[in-house]
Amino acid sequence: MGARTGGPETTGPQTVQLFQVSTLYGAATLVAALEGGQFGPREDVRRVLLVSHNAAVPETAVRLTEMRGWDRLAARFDDIVDWNAAIRPHHPSTWSPAANDAEIWQRLFRHSWRLGDGPVELAVESVQVSPARALATIFAESTVDVYADGLMSYGPTRNPLPGPLARRIRRLLHPDLVPGLRPLLLSEYGVPAELVPIEALKKVIEEISGPDAGAGTEPGPGPGPESGEDTAAAAG
């Protein structure tokens, strides 16, 4: 899947909301949160969906963008970018930039993804590991929202977080999968939990599982910096 960058380039101080996703259910959870107004009004915000394919051998597994209902979820975002292509030949689950290289990577991605110079807000999955950890390192001044799309929100945080990163996390978004049970994830850092409206999530799941949902049709990676080709090599 190449980058879909059909919208206008962000050149001013417009806020960019960058959503990282690796599963269809995770994308549905994010869309439900959007539909529930949990990321604010649509006006004056550019929403970019960053897709990460975390399979052990990504080339041999079904891509998220090929799954049934993908196009309907992707339509909620202004642009789609491919994390695997952006950091090739590194693997999304194991790569994170060196701290002193983070600013270089940020400048590169702001240019390649046309993010402009304004604030970038992150919404990521498991912030304690990559690719979410890598994004939080690269966009070191960004606020971070963490979303959990499964039962992992009810377990403890697997790995300790650096204090500066933990203080940037605004909230944990999660569906109410076990009514009455409070999540433990990130609670040791004082991160408040916020429910994703279950009715909104049900509606989104019904939408992508219906008989006319269809399979994803996002194109494969194309040449040039917009698709992330040789991005890692260019950044060193």
Side-chain angles (χ1 to χ4, degrees), residues 19-72:
F19 300 86
Q20 177 258 324
V21 67
S22 65
T23 68
L24 194 68
Y25 187 63
T29 301
L30 282 176
V31 168
L34 289 173
E35 301 285 307
Q38 291 177 287
F39 286 95
R42 185 68 185 84
E43 295 78 14
D44 300 323
V45 173
R46 182 164 170 238
R47 290 174 173 164
V48 178
L49 185 62
L50 184 147
V51 180
S52 176
H53 195 32
N54 298 342
V57 185
E59 295 79 7
T60 65
V62 176
R63 300 175 67 86
L64 174 59
T65 54
E66 299 169 346
M67 294 182 180
R68 182 184 186 87
W70 164 256
D71 285 348
R72 295 199 170 194

mmCIF file of all heavy atoms in Angstrom, residues 19-72:
data_model
loop_
_atom_site.group_PDB
_atom_site.id
_atom_site.type_symbol
_atom_site.label_atom_id
_atom_site.label_comp_id
_atom_site.label_asym_id
_atom_site.label_seq_id
_atom_site.Cartn_x
_atom_site.Cartn_y
_atom_site.Cartn_z
ATOM 1 N N PHE A 19 -2.838 8.833 13.268
ATOM 2 C CA PHE A 19 -3.393 7.635 13.888
ATOM 3 C C PHE A 19 -2.621 6.408 13.404
ATOM 4 O O PHE A 19 -2.603 6.127 12.205
ATOM 5 C CB PHE A 19 -4.870 7.476 13.524
ATOM 6 C CG PHE A 19 -5.746 8.620 13.952
ATOM 7 C CD1 PHE A 19 -5.905 9.736 13.143
ATOM 8 C CD2 PHE A 19 -6.420 8.579 15.165
ATOM 9 C CE1 PHE A 19 -6.720 10.791 13.528
ATOM 10 C CE2 PHE A 19 -7.239 9.631 15.562
ATOM 11 C CZ PHE A 19 -7.383 10.740 14.745
ATOM 12 N N GLN A 20 -2.017 5.674 14.332
ATOM 13 C CA GLN A 20 -1.268 4.465 13.981
ATOM 14 C C GLN A 20 -2.145 3.242 14.211
ATOM 15 O O GLN A 20 -2.775 3.090 15.260
ATOM 16 C CB GLN A 20 0.008 4.372 14.820
ATOM 17 C CG GLN A 20 0.818 3.109 14.580
ATOM 18 C CD GLN A 20 0.625 2.083 15.681
ATOM 19 O OE1 GLN A 20 0.480 2.433 16.854
ATOM 20 N NE2 GLN A 20 0.616 0.810 15.316
ATOM 21 N N VAL A 21 -2.182 2.352 13.218
ATOM 22 C CA VAL A 21 -3.055 1.187 13.304
ATOM 23 C C VAL A 21 -2.378 -0.009 12.655
ATOM 24 O O VAL A 21 -1.604 0.138 11.702
ATOM 25 C CB VAL A 21 -4.416 1.483 12.624
ATOM 26 C CG1 VAL A 21 -4.251 1.672 11.129
ATOM 27 C CG2 VAL A 21 -5.441 0.408 12.920
ATOM 28 N N SER A 22 -2.653 -1.211 13.191
ATOM 29 C CA SER A 22 -2.076 -2.420 12.602
ATOM 30 C C SER A 22 -3.108 -3.529 12.416
ATOM 31 O O SER A 22 -2.787 -4.565 11.839
ATOM 32 C CB SER A 22 -0.923 -2.945 13.472
ATOM 33 O OG SER A 22 -1.396 -3.359 14.741
ATOM 34 N N THR A 23 -4.335 -3.337 12.911
ATOM 35 C CA THR A 23 -5.382 -4.348 12.763
ATOM 36 C C THR A 23 -6.678 -3.691 12.315
ATOM 37 O O THR A 23 -6.902 -2.498 12.540
ATOM 38 C CB THR A 23 -5.644 -5.100 14.083
ATOM 39 O OG1 THR A 23 -6.242 -4.192 15.032
ATOM 40 C CG2 THR A 23 -4.356 -5.675 14.663
ATOM 41 N N LEU A 24 -7.541 -4.492 11.700
ATOM 42 C CA LEU A 24 -8.827 -3.967 11.245
ATOM 43 C C LEU A 24 -9.698 -3.570 12.436
ATOM 44 O O LEU A 24 -10.378 -2.540 12.404
ATOM 45 C CB LEU A 24 -9.546 -5.012 10.387
ATOM 46 C CG LEU A 24 -10.737 -4.498 9.572
ATOM 47 C CD1 LEU A 24 -10.256 -3.555 8.475
ATOM 48 C CD2 LEU A 24 -11.514 -5.658 8.957
ATOM 49 N N TYR A 25 -9.662 -4.369 13.496
ATOM 50 C CA TYR A 25 -10.456 -4.040 14.677
ATOM 51 C C TYR A 25 -9.930 -2.770 15.346
ATOM 52 O O TYR A 25 -10.704 -1.962 15.867
ATOM 53 C CB TYR A 25 -10.443 -5.209 15.666
ATOM 54 C CG TYR A 25 -11.380 -5.025 16.834
ATOM 55 C CD1 TYR A 25 -12.751 -4.929 16.635
ATOM 56 C CD2 TYR A 25 -10.897 -4.937 18.133
ATOM 57 C CE1 TYR A 25 -13.620 -4.757 17.705
ATOM 58 C CE2 TYR A 25 -11.757 -4.764 19.206
ATOM 59 C CZ TYR A 25 -13.115 -4.676 18.987
ATOM 60 O OH TYR A 25 -13.968 -4.494 20.045
ATOM 61 N N GLY A 26 -8.617 -2.592 15.313
ATOM 62 C CA GLY A 26 -8.051 -1.359 15.840
ATOM 63 C C GLY A 26 -8.510 -0.154 15.043
ATOM 64 O O GLY A 26 -8.853 0.895 15.608
ATOM 65 N N ALA A 27 -8.528 -0.291 13.716
ATOM 66 C CA ALA A 27 -9.014 0.801 12.872
ATOM 67 C C ALA A 27 -10.485 1.083 13.149
ATOM 68 O O ALA A 27 -10.916 2.242 13.191
ATOM 69 C CB ALA A 27 -8.804 0.455 11.399
ATOM 70 N N ALA A 28 -11.272 0.022 13.365
ATOM 71 C CA ALA A 28 -12.690 0.207 13.688
ATOM 72 C C ALA A 28 -12.855 0.930 15.022
ATOM 73 O O ALA A 28 -13.742 1.779 15.181
ATOM 74 C CB ALA A 28 -13.392 -1.151 13.725
ATOM 75 N N THR A 29 -11.998 0.614 15.989
ATOM 76 C CA THR A 29 -12.050 1.283 17.289
ATOM 77 C C THR A 29 -11.754 2.773 17.145
ATOM 78 O O THR A 29 -12.428 3.621 17.744
ATOM 79 C CB THR A 29 -11.048 0.636 18.262
ATOM 80 O OG1 THR A 29 -11.364 -0.755 18.417
ATOM 81 C CG2 THR A 29 -11.087 1.307 19.622
ATOM 82 N N LEU A 30 -10.750 3.102 16.341
ATOM 83 C CA LEU A 30 -10.423 4.509 16.107
ATOM 84 C C LEU A 30 -11.576 5.237 15.420
ATOM 85 O O LEU A 30 -11.919 6.367 15.791
ATOM 86 C CB LEU A 30 -9.165 4.618 15.252
ATOM 87 C CG LEU A 30 -7.832 4.390 15.954
ATOM 88 C CD1 LEU A 30 -6.691 4.437 14.943
ATOM 89 C CD2 LEU A 30 -7.609 5.425 17.049
ATOM 90 N N VAL A 31 -12.168 4.602 14.416
ATOM 91 C CA VAL A 31 -13.280 5.235 13.707
ATOM 92 C C VAL A 31 -14.462 5.445 14.653
ATOM 93 O O VAL A 31 -15.125 6.485 14.616
ATOM 94 C CB VAL A 31 -13.687 4.394 12.483
ATOM 95 C CG1 VAL A 31 -15.019 4.879 11.905
ATOM 96 C CG2 VAL A 31 -12.603 4.464 11.414
ATOM 97 N N ALA A 32 -14.710 4.473 15.534
ATOM 98 C CA ALA A 32 -15.791 4.635 16.510
ATOM 99 C C ALA A 32 -15.514 5.818 17.431
ATOM 100 O O ALA A 32 -16.422 6.583 17.776
ATOM 101 C CB ALA A 32 -15.958 3.351 17.323
ATOM 102 N N ALA A 33 -14.252 5.987 17.832
ATOM 103 C CA ALA A 33 -13.885 7.134 18.670
ATOM 104 C C ALA A 33 -14.072 8.448 17.907
ATOM 105 O O ALA A 33 -14.533 9.447 18.474
ATOM 106 C CB ALA A 33 -12.445 6.993 19.150
ATOM 107 N N LEU A 34 -13.727 8.436 16.626
ATOM 108 C CA LEU A 34 -13.947 9.624 15.798
ATOM 109 C C LEU A 34 -15.435 9.937 15.691
ATOM 110 O O LEU A 34 -15.855 11.093 15.846
ATOM 111 C CB LEU A 34 -13.365 9.408 14.399
ATOM 112 C CG LEU A 34 -11.846 9.382 14.255
ATOM 113 C CD1 LEU A 34 -11.457 8.977 12.840
ATOM 114 C CD2 LEU A 34 -11.248 10.736 14.600
ATOM 115 N N GLU A 35 -16.227 8.896 15.432
ATOM 116 C CA GLU A 35 -17.671 9.090 15.291
ATOM 117 C C GLU A 35 -18.283 9.580 16.607
ATOM 118 O O GLU A 35 -19.281 10.305 16.605
ATOM 119 C CB GLU A 35 -18.337 7.776 14.879
ATOM 120 C CG GLU A 35 -17.835 7.186 13.571
ATOM 121 C CD GLU A 35 -18.344 7.927 12.351
ATOM 122 O OE1 GLU A 35 -19.559 8.102 12.225
ATOM 123 O OE2 GLU A 35 -17.504 8.327 11.532
ATOM 124 N N GLY A 36 -17.671 9.187 17.721
ATOM 125 C CA GLY A 36 -18.169 9.613 19.024
ATOM 126 C C GLY A 36 -17.670 10.980 19.453
ATOM 127 O O GLY A 36 -17.951 11.417 20.575
ATOM 128 N N GLY A 37 -16.902 11.643 18.585
ATOM 129 C CA GLY A 37 -16.428 12.988 18.880
ATOM 130 C C GLY A 37 -15.261 13.058 19.839
ATOM 131 O O GLY A 37 -14.965 14.129 20.384
ATOM 132 N N GLN A 38 -14.549 11.942 20.040
ATOM 133 C CA GLN A 38 -13.480 11.919 21.040
ATOM 134 C C GLN A 38 -12.168 12.533 20.553
ATOM 135 O O GLN A 38 -11.230 12.677 21.343
ATOM 136 C CB GLN A 38 -13.266 10.480 21.519
ATOM 137 C CG GLN A 38 -14.441 9.967 22.336
ATOM 138 C CD GLN A 38 -14.294 8.515 22.754
ATOM 139 O OE1 GLN A 38 -14.431 7.609 21.939
ATOM 140 N NE2 GLN A 38 -14.015 8.295 24.027
ATOM 141 N N PHE A 39 -12.115 12.875 19.277
ATOM 142 C CA PHE A 39 -10.942 13.570 18.751
ATOM 143 C C PHE A 39 -11.294 14.965 18.256
ATOM 144 O O PHE A 39 -10.584 15.540 17.440
ATOM 145 C CB PHE A 39 -10.284 12.745 17.643
ATOM 146 C CG PHE A 39 -9.533 11.549 18.165
ATOM 147 C CD1 PHE A 39 -10.138 10.306 18.214
ATOM 148 C CD2 PHE A 39 -8.236 11.678 18.636
ATOM 149 C CE1 PHE A 39 -9.461 9.202 18.716
ATOM 150 C CE2 PHE A 39 -7.547 10.585 19.135
ATOM 151 C CZ PHE A 39 -8.160 9.341 19.178
ATOM 152 N N GLY A 40 -12.380 15.497 18.773
ATOM 153 C CA GLY A 40 -12.741 16.870 18.485
ATOM 154 C C GLY A 40 -13.416 17.040 17.141
ATOM 155 O O GLY A 40 -13.638 16.079 16.397
ATOM 156 N N PRO A 41 -13.749 18.292 16.800
ATOM 157 C CA PRO A 41 -14.434 18.566 15.533
ATOM 158 C C PRO A 41 -13.537 18.317 14.331
ATOM 159 O O PRO A 41 -12.309 18.402 14.417
ATOM 160 C CB PRO A 41 -14.809 20.050 15.654
ATOM 161 C CG PRO A 41 -13.834 20.610 16.635
ATOM 162 C CD PRO A 41 -13.534 19.508 17.600
ATOM 163 N N ARG A 42 -14.156 18.015 13.225
ATOM 164 C CA ARG A 42 -13.435 17.684 11.995
ATOM 165 C C ARG A 42 -12.781 18.907 11.356
ATOM 166 O O ARG A 42 -11.759 18.785 10.673
ATOM 167 C CB ARG A 42 -14.426 17.046 11.001
ATOM 168 C CG ARG A 42 -13.800 16.541 9.720
ATOM 169 C CD ARG A 42 -12.913 15.341 10.029
ATOM 170 N NE ARG A 42 -12.202 14.894 8.850
ATOM 171 C CZ ARG A 42 -11.065 15.425 8.424
ATOM 172 N NH1 ARG A 42 -10.523 16.439 9.079
ATOM 173 N NH2 ARG A 42 -10.464 14.959 7.356
ATOM 174 N N GLU A 43 -13.346 20.068 11.571
ATOM 175 C CA GLU A 43 -12.866 21.271 10.907
ATOM 176 C C GLU A 43 -11.452 21.636 11.364
ATOM 177 O O GLU A 43 -11.098 21.502 12.533
ATOM 178 C CB GLU A 43 -13.804 22.452 11.193
ATOM 179 C CG GLU A 43 -15.207 22.278 10.619
ATOM 180 C CD GLU A 43 -16.072 21.355 11.457
ATOM 181 O OE1 GLU A 43 -15.676 21.071 12.609
ATOM 182 O OE2 GLU A 43 -17.126 20.913 10.958
ATOM 183 N N ASP A 44 -10.654 22.112 10.422
ATOM 184 C CA ASP A 44 -9.313 22.643 10.694
ATOM 185 C C ASP A 44 -8.349 21.609 11.259
ATOM 186 O O ASP A 44 -7.348 21.960 11.894
ATOM 187 C CB ASP A 44 -9.385 23.842 11.652
ATOM 188 C CG ASP A 44 -10.215 24.980 11.074
ATOM 189 O OD1 ASP A 44 -10.130 25.194 9.853
ATOM 190 O OD2 ASP A 44 -10.947 25.628 11.835
ATOM 191 N N VAL A 45 -8.634 20.339 11.058
ATOM 192 C CA VAL A 45 -7.737 19.271 11.492
ATOM 193 C C VAL A 45 -7.516 18.326 10.319
ATOM 194 O O VAL A 45 -8.459 17.990 9.602
ATOM 195 C CB VAL A 45 -8.325 18.484 12.687
ATOM 196 C CG1 VAL A 45 -7.465 17.270 13.009
ATOM 197 C CG2 VAL A 45 -8.437 19.371 13.916
ATOM 198 N N ARG A 46 -6.283 17.939 10.100
ATOM 199 C CA ARG A 46 -5.976 16.956 9.059
ATOM 200 C C ARG A 46 -5.720 15.615 9.724
ATOM 201 O O ARG A 46 -4.909 15.518 10.644
ATOM 202 C CB ARG A 46 -4.754 17.392 8.255
ATOM 203 C CG ARG A 46 -4.403 16.433 7.120
ATOM 204 C CD ARG A 46 -3.455 17.082 6.127
ATOM 205 N NE ARG A 46 -2.956 16.093 5.193
ATOM 206 C CZ ARG A 46 -1.672 15.815 5.013
ATOM 207 N NH1 ARG A 46 -0.756 16.467 5.707
ATOM 208 N NH2 ARG A 46 -1.295 14.907 4.146
ATOM 209 N N ARG A 47 -6.420 14.591 9.269
ATOM 210 C CA ARG A 47 -6.327 13.267 9.876
ATOM 211 C C ARG A 47 -5.597 12.312 8.941
ATOM 212 O O ARG A 47 -6.032 12.071 7.811
ATOM 213 C CB ARG A 47 -7.725 12.750 10.216
ATOM 214 C CG ARG A 47 -8.334 13.528 11.385
ATOM 215 C CD ARG A 47 -9.762 13.161 11.678
ATOM 216 N NE ARG A 47 -10.208 13.828 12.912
ATOM 217 C CZ ARG A 47 -11.469 13.956 13.285
ATOM 218 N NH1 ARG A 47 -12.430 13.461 12.521
ATOM 219 N NH2 ARG A 47 -11.770 14.572 14.408
ATOM 220 N N VAL A 48 -4.497 11.772 9.448
ATOM 221 C CA VAL A 48 -3.644 10.879 8.668
ATOM 222 C C VAL A 48 -3.612 9.519 9.353
ATOM 223 O O VAL A 48 -3.335 9.427 10.553
ATOM 224 C CB VAL A 48 -2.213 11.450 8.541
ATOM 225 C CG1 VAL A 48 -1.315 10.486 7.769
ATOM 226 C CG2 VAL A 48 -2.246 12.819 7.859
ATOM 227 N N LEU A 49 -3.895 8.475 8.596
ATOM 228 C CA LEU A 49 -3.873 7.110 9.120
ATOM 229 C C LEU A 49 -2.568 6.445 8.700
ATOM 230 O O LEU A 49 -2.274 6.321 7.508
ATOM 231 C CB LEU A 49 -5.065 6.318 8.586
ATOM 232 C CG LEU A 49 -5.255 4.904 9.145
ATOM 233 C CD1 LEU A 49 -5.505 4.948 10.651
ATOM 234 C CD2 LEU A 49 -6.411 4.198 8.441
ATOM 235 N N LEU A 50 -1.780 6.031 9.683
ATOM 236 C CA LEU A 50 -0.505 5.373 9.436
ATOM 237 C C LEU A 50 -0.687 3.876 9.663
ATOM 238 O O LEU A 50 -1.011 3.447 10.767
ATOM 239 C CB LEU A 50 0.576 5.940 10.357
ATOM 240 C CG LEU A 50 1.995 5.416 10.159
ATOM 241 C CD1 LEU A 50 3.012 6.509 10.463
ATOM 242 C CD2 LEU A 50 2.269 4.204 11.039
ATOM 243 N N VAL A 51 -0.495 3.095 8.610
ATOM 244 C CA VAL A 51 -0.742 1.658 8.665
ATOM 245 C C VAL A 51 0.572 0.913 8.849
ATOM 246 O O VAL A 51 1.524 1.099 8.083
ATOM 247 C CB VAL A 51 -1.445 1.173 7.384
ATOM 248 C CG1 VAL A 51 -1.701 -0.326 7.453
ATOM 249 C CG2 VAL A 51 -2.754 1.921 7.187
ATOM 250 N N SER A 52 0.616 0.078 9.873
ATOM 251 C CA SER A 52 1.797 -0.736 10.158
ATOM 252 C C SER A 52 1.429 -2.209 10.032
ATOM 253 O O SER A 52 0.436 -2.665 10.605
ATOM 254 C CB SER A 52 2.310 -0.436 11.571
ATOM 255 O OG SER A 52 3.391 -1.273 11.900
ATOM 256 N N HIS A 53 2.229 -2.947 9.276
ATOM 257 C CA HIS A 53 1.997 -4.378 9.068
ATOM 258 C C HIS A 53 3.027 -5.126 9.904
ATOM 259 O O HIS A 53 4.198 -5.206 9.549
ATOM 260 C CB HIS A 53 2.153 -4.692 7.581
ATOM 261 C CG HIS A 53 1.613 -6.027 7.179
ATOM 262 N ND1 HIS A 53 0.526 -6.619 7.784
ATOM 263 C CD2 HIS A 53 2.016 -6.897 6.220
ATOM 264 C CE1 HIS A 53 0.283 -7.786 7.220
ATOM 265 N NE2 HIS A 53 1.175 -7.974 6.271
ATOM 266 N N ASN A 54 2.595 -5.658 11.061
ATOM 267 C CA ASN A 54 3.525 -6.164 12.070
ATOM 268 C C ASN A 54 3.739 -7.669 12.049
ATOM 269 O O ASN A 54 4.365 -8.209 12.965
ATOM 270 C CB ASN A 54 3.034 -5.765 13.470
ATOM 271 C CG ASN A 54 2.968 -4.267 13.650
ATOM 272 O OD1 ASN A 54 3.571 -3.503 12.906
ATOM 273 N ND2 ASN A 54 2.214 -3.833 14.648
ATOM 274 N N ALA A 55 3.239 -8.367 11.039
ATOM 275 C CA ALA A 55 3.451 -9.812 10.965
ATOM 276 C C ALA A 55 4.945 -10.120 10.945
ATOM 277 O O ALA A 55 5.763 -9.299 10.508
ATOM 278 C CB ALA A 55 2.786 -10.378 9.711
ATOM 279 N N ALA A 56 5.305 -11.313 11.428
ATOM 280 C CA ALA A 56 6.721 -11.687 11.487
ATOM 281 C C ALA A 56 7.382 -11.566 10.119
ATOM 282 O O ALA A 56 8.514 -11.085 9.995
ATOM 283 C CB ALA A 56 6.858 -13.110 12.027
ATOM 284 N N VAL A 57 6.666 -11.999 9.086
ATOM 285 C CA VAL A 57 7.141 -11.840 7.703
ATOM 286 C C VAL A 57 6.032 -11.113 6.951
ATOM 287 O O VAL A 57 5.138 -11.743 6.382
ATOM 288 C CB VAL A 57 7.450 -13.200 7.046
ATOM 289 C CG1 VAL A 57 8.060 -12.989 5.652
ATOM 290 C CG2 VAL A 57 8.399 -14.024 7.911
ATOM 291 N N PRO A 58 6.040 -9.790 6.970
ATOM 292 C CA PRO A 58 4.921 -9.022 6.413
ATOM 293 C C PRO A 58 4.589 -9.363 4.967
ATOM 294 O O PRO A 58 3.423 -9.307 4.567
ATOM 295 C CB PRO A 58 5.412 -7.567 6.537
ATOM 296 C CG PRO A 58 6.387 -7.592 7.665
ATOM 297 C CD PRO A 58 7.073 -8.918 7.562
ATOM 298 N N GLU A 59 5.602 -9.740 4.190
ATOM 299 C CA GLU A 59 5.373 -10.005 2.772
ATOM 300 C C GLU A 59 4.513 -11.242 2.532
ATOM 301 O O GLU A 59 3.967 -11.423 1.441
ATOM 302 C CB GLU A 59 6.716 -10.173 2.045
ATOM 303 C CG GLU A 59 7.583 -8.925 2.013
ATOM 304 C CD GLU A 59 8.331 -8.691 3.325
ATOM 305 O OE1 GLU A 59 8.277 -9.571 4.214
ATOM 306 O OE2 GLU A 59 8.975 -7.634 3.453
ATOM 307 N N THR A 60 4.393 -12.115 3.536
ATOM 308 C CA THR A 60 3.659 -13.371 3.351
ATOM 309 C C THR A 60 2.270 -13.348 3.976
ATOM 310 O O THR A 60 1.531 -14.327 3.846
ATOM 311 C CB THR A 60 4.449 -14.546 3.954
ATOM 312 O OG1 THR A 60 4.542 -14.373 5.381
ATOM 313 C CG2 THR A 60 5.850 -14.623 3.357
ATOM 314 N N ALA A 61 1.904 -12.287 4.646
ATOM 315 C CA ALA A 61 0.618 -12.222 5.346
ATOM 316 C C ALA A 61 -0.345 -11.297 4.607
ATOM 317 O O ALA A 61 0.065 -10.426 3.834
ATOM 318 C CB ALA A 61 0.828 -11.738 6.778
ATOM 319 N N VAL A 62 -1.638 -11.506 4.852
ATOM 320 C CA VAL A 62 -2.656 -10.645 4.247
ATOM 321 C C VAL A 62 -2.505 -9.236 4.805
ATOM 322 O O VAL A 62 -2.409 -9.033 6.015
ATOM 323 C CB VAL A 62 -4.069 -11.176 4.547
ATOM 324 C CG1 VAL A 62 -5.123 -10.224 3.994
ATOM 325 C CG2 VAL A 62 -4.247 -12.566 3.951
ATOM 326 N N ARG A 63 -2.480 -8.270 3.930
ATOM 327 C CA ARG A 63 -2.315 -6.886 4.347
ATOM 328 C C ARG A 63 -3.635 -6.318 4.857
ATOM 329 O O ARG A 63 -4.717 -6.666 4.370
ATOM 330 C CB ARG A 63 -1.792 -6.038 3.187
ATOM 331 C CG ARG A 63 -0.450 -6.498 2.653
ATOM 332 C CD ARG A 63 -0.048 -5.692 1.426
ATOM 333 N NE ARG A 63 0.232 -4.306 1.761
ATOM 334 C CZ ARG A 63 1.410 -3.869 2.188
ATOM 335 N NH1 ARG A 63 2.413 -4.708 2.343
ATOM 336 N NH2 ARG A 63 1.593 -2.592 2.459
ATOM 337 N N LEU A 64 -3.530 -5.448 5.825
ATOM 338 C CA LEU A 64 -4.714 -4.803 6.387
ATOM 339 C C LEU A 64 -5.535 -4.124 5.296
ATOM 340 O O LEU A 64 -6.767 -4.163 5.301
ATOM 341 C CB LEU A 64 -4.271 -3.787 7.444
ATOM 342 C CG LEU A 64 -5.331 -2.883 8.064
ATOM 343 C CD1 LEU A 64 -6.413 -3.713 8.743
ATOM 344 C CD2 LEU A 64 -4.685 -1.931 9.065
ATOM 345 N N THR A 65 -4.859 -3.520 4.346
ATOM 346 C CA THR A 65 -5.542 -2.769 3.291
ATOM 347 C C THR A 65 -6.254 -3.662 2.283
ATOM 348 O O THR A 65 -6.952 -3.162 1.407
ATOM 349 C CB THR A 65 -4.530 -1.888 2.550
ATOM 350 O OG1 THR A 65 -3.445 -2.702 2.092
ATOM 351 C CG2 THR A 65 -3.995 -0.813 3.476
ATOM 352 N N GLU A 66 -6.068 -4.980 2.394
ATOM 353 C CA GLU A 66 -6.746 -5.923 1.512
ATOM 354 C C GLU A 66 -7.956 -6.571 2.184
ATOM 355 O O GLU A 66 -8.654 -7.366 1.562
ATOM 356 C CB GLU A 66 -5.764 -7.024 1.073
ATOM 357 C CG GLU A 66 -4.570 -6.503 0.291
ATOM 358 C CD GLU A 66 -3.484 -7.551 0.103
ATOM 359 O OE1 GLU A 66 -3.532 -8.597 0.797
ATOM 360 O OE2 GLU A 66 -2.591 -7.322 -0.721
ATOM 361 N N MET A 67 -8.199 -6.229 3.435
ATOM 362 C CA MET A 67 -9.250 -6.892 4.196
ATOM 363 C C MET A 67 -10.620 -6.284 3.909
ATOM 364 O O MET A 67 -10.744 -5.122 3.522
ATOM 365 C CB MET A 67 -8.944 -6.804 5.694
ATOM 366 C CG MET A 67 -7.717 -7.586 6.101
ATOM 367 S SD MET A 67 -7.419 -7.508 7.897
ATOM 368 C CE MET A 67 -5.937 -8.500 8.015
ATOM 369 N N ARG A 68 -11.623 -7.088 4.124
ATOM 370 C CA ARG A 68 -13.006 -6.679 3.900
ATOM 371 C C ARG A 68 -13.359 -5.478 4.780
ATOM 372 O O ARG A 68 -13.104 -5.474 5.980
ATOM 373 C CB ARG A 68 -13.933 -7.850 4.223
ATOM 374 C CG ARG A 68 -15.413 -7.576 3.997
ATOM 375 C CD ARG A 68 -16.231 -8.779 4.439
ATOM 376 N NE ARG A 68 -17.630 -8.610 4.115
ATOM 377 C CZ ARG A 68 -18.180 -8.936 2.957
ATOM 378 N NH1 ARG A 68 -17.421 -9.462 2.013
ATOM 379 N NH2 ARG A 68 -19.464 -8.753 2.729
ATOM 380 N N GLY A 69 -13.928 -4.473 4.180
ATOM 381 C CA GLY A 69 -14.366 -3.303 4.915
ATOM 382 C C GLY A 69 -13.320 -2.219 5.077
ATOM 383 O O GLY A 69 -13.619 -1.138 5.598
ATOM 384 N N TRP A 70 -12.086 -2.481 4.628
ATOM 385 C CA TRP A 70 -11.011 -1.504 4.819
ATOM 386 C C TRP A 70 -11.336 -0.150 4.193
ATOM 387 O O TRP A 70 -11.134 0.897 4.806
ATOM 388 C CB TRP A 70 -9.701 -2.032 4.250
ATOM 389 C CG TRP A 70 -8.681 -0.959 4.062
ATOM 390 C CD1 TRP A 70 -8.298 -0.368 2.894
ATOM 391 C CD2 TRP A 70 -7.943 -0.283 5.094
ATOM 392 N NE1 TRP A 70 -7.363 0.610 3.125
ATOM 393 C CE2 TRP A 70 -7.133 0.681 4.472
ATOM 394 C CE3 TRP A 70 -7.900 -0.413 6.479
ATOM 395 C CZ2 TRP A 70 -6.281 1.513 5.190
ATOM 396 C CZ3 TRP A 70 -7.052 0.418 7.200
ATOM 397 C CH2 TRP A 70 -6.259 1.363 6.553
ATOM 398 N N ASP A 71 -11.836 -0.164 2.961
ATOM 399 C CA ASP A 71 -12.078 1.099 2.259
ATOM 400 C C ASP A 71 -13.038 1.998 3.026
ATOM 401 O O ASP A 71 -12.903 3.223 3.021
ATOM 402 C CB ASP A 71 -12.621 0.832 0.859
ATOM 403 C CG ASP A 71 -11.540 0.350 -0.099
ATOM 404 O OD1 ASP A 71 -10.355 0.442 0.268
ATOM 405 O OD2 ASP A 71 -11.883 -0.117 -1.200
ATOM 406 N N ARG A 72 -14.004 1.398 3.691
ATOM 407 C CA ARG A 72 -14.981 2.201 4.432
ATOM 408 C C ARG A 72 -14.340 2.879 5.637
ATOM 409 O O ARG A 72 -14.685 4.005 5.982
ATOM 410 C CB ARG A 72 -16.147 1.323 4.869
ATOM 411 C CG ARG A 72 -16.934 0.775 3.685
ATOM 412 C CD ARG A 72 -18.297 0.318 4.090
ATOM 413 N NE ARG A 72 -19.112 0.020 2.924
ATOM 414 C CZ ARG A 72 -20.421 -0.147 2.976
ATOM 415 N NH1 ARG A 72 -21.056 -0.025 4.130
ATOM 416 N NH2 ARG A 72 -21.102 -0.424 1.883
#
